[in-house]
């Protein structure tokens, strides 16, 4: 019995950091994994202003915070890995993946992420910014928030950063370590700091 408990605990850790594995579990593993996930998600929806679709995975180490008016809405078949921080308002479409260590804050403007977008580890997406007048300390200045929109079927590479006011078009690719400060067209491949267009995904067919 102890071996079974130890195995399940280790498997839960594995799923938390590699949540795509949850969607290919065999029935014998789903027998304990589905109730485990149901309890995590029901608790989140009870204590935060969070809505979670069907067949999602949310790691127990993920931190989701949402107040009334700053909701987090999660579509069907999404996955959120361990050590992520999400503060609403955030809307995730269907089949969105957020890998471990990501940090998202919707500010007042909101983060919207389209269907089937994949976000690699340690990506930072902040939909707000501070004033920078030299007449007072930055922390005392009002924040402003335009919001961030990320389209469908976008791939955002590890350790990328996306700043407030940016729209990333459908089917775009954001390279590892990019800092995205301007809008990205549909199908564009961007890289660098600041991010610049280096190619078109349609040329990769």
């Amino acid at each position: 019995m102890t071996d079974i408990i130890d195995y399940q605990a280790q498997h839960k850790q594995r799923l938390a950091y590699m949540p795509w594995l949850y969607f290919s579990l065999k029935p014998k593993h789903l027998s304990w994994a589905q109730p485990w996930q149901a309890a995590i998600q029901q608790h989140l929806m009870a204590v935060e202003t969070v809505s979670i679709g069907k067949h999602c995975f949310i790691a127990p180490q993920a931190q989701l915070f949402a107040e009334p008016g700053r909701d987090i809405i999660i579509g069907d078949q999404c996955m959120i890995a361990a050590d992520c921080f999400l503060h609403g308002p955030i809307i995730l479409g269907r089949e969105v993946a957020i890998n471990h260590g990501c940090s998202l804050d919707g500010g007042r403007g909101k983060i919207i992420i389209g269907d089937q977008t994949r976000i690699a580890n340690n990506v930072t997406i902040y939909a707000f910014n501070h004033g920078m007048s030299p007449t007072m300390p930055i922390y005392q200045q009002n924040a402003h928030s335009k919001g961030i929109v990320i389209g469908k079927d976008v791939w955002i590479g590890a350790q990328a950063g996306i700043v407030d006011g940016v729209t990333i078009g459908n089917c775009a690719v954001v390279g590892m370590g990019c800092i995205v400060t301007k809008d990205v067209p549909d199908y564009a491949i961007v890289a660098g700091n600041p991010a610049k267009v280096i190619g078109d995904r349609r040329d990769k067919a």
Side-chain angles (χ1 to χ4, degrees), residues 95-138:
E95 300 177 55
V96 174
I98 302 177
N99 281 282
H100 64 274
C102 292
S103 184
L104 285 70
D105 194 309
R108 296 292 176 185
K110 191 179 297 179
I111 295 169
I112 300 173
I113 301 175
D115 297 347
Q116 299 182 321
T117 284
R118 316 311 257 186
I119 300 175
N121 64 289
N122 297 104
V123 169
T124 302
I125 306 174
Y126 287 157
F128 68 93
N129 212 335
H130 288 285
M132 291 183 281
S133 169
T135 61
M136 66 175 68
I138 283 178

Side-chain angles (χ1 to χ4, degrees), residues 46 73 100 109 124 149 156 161-162 167:
I73 300 171
H100 64 274
T124 302
V149 177
I156 299 176
I162 301 170
T167 295

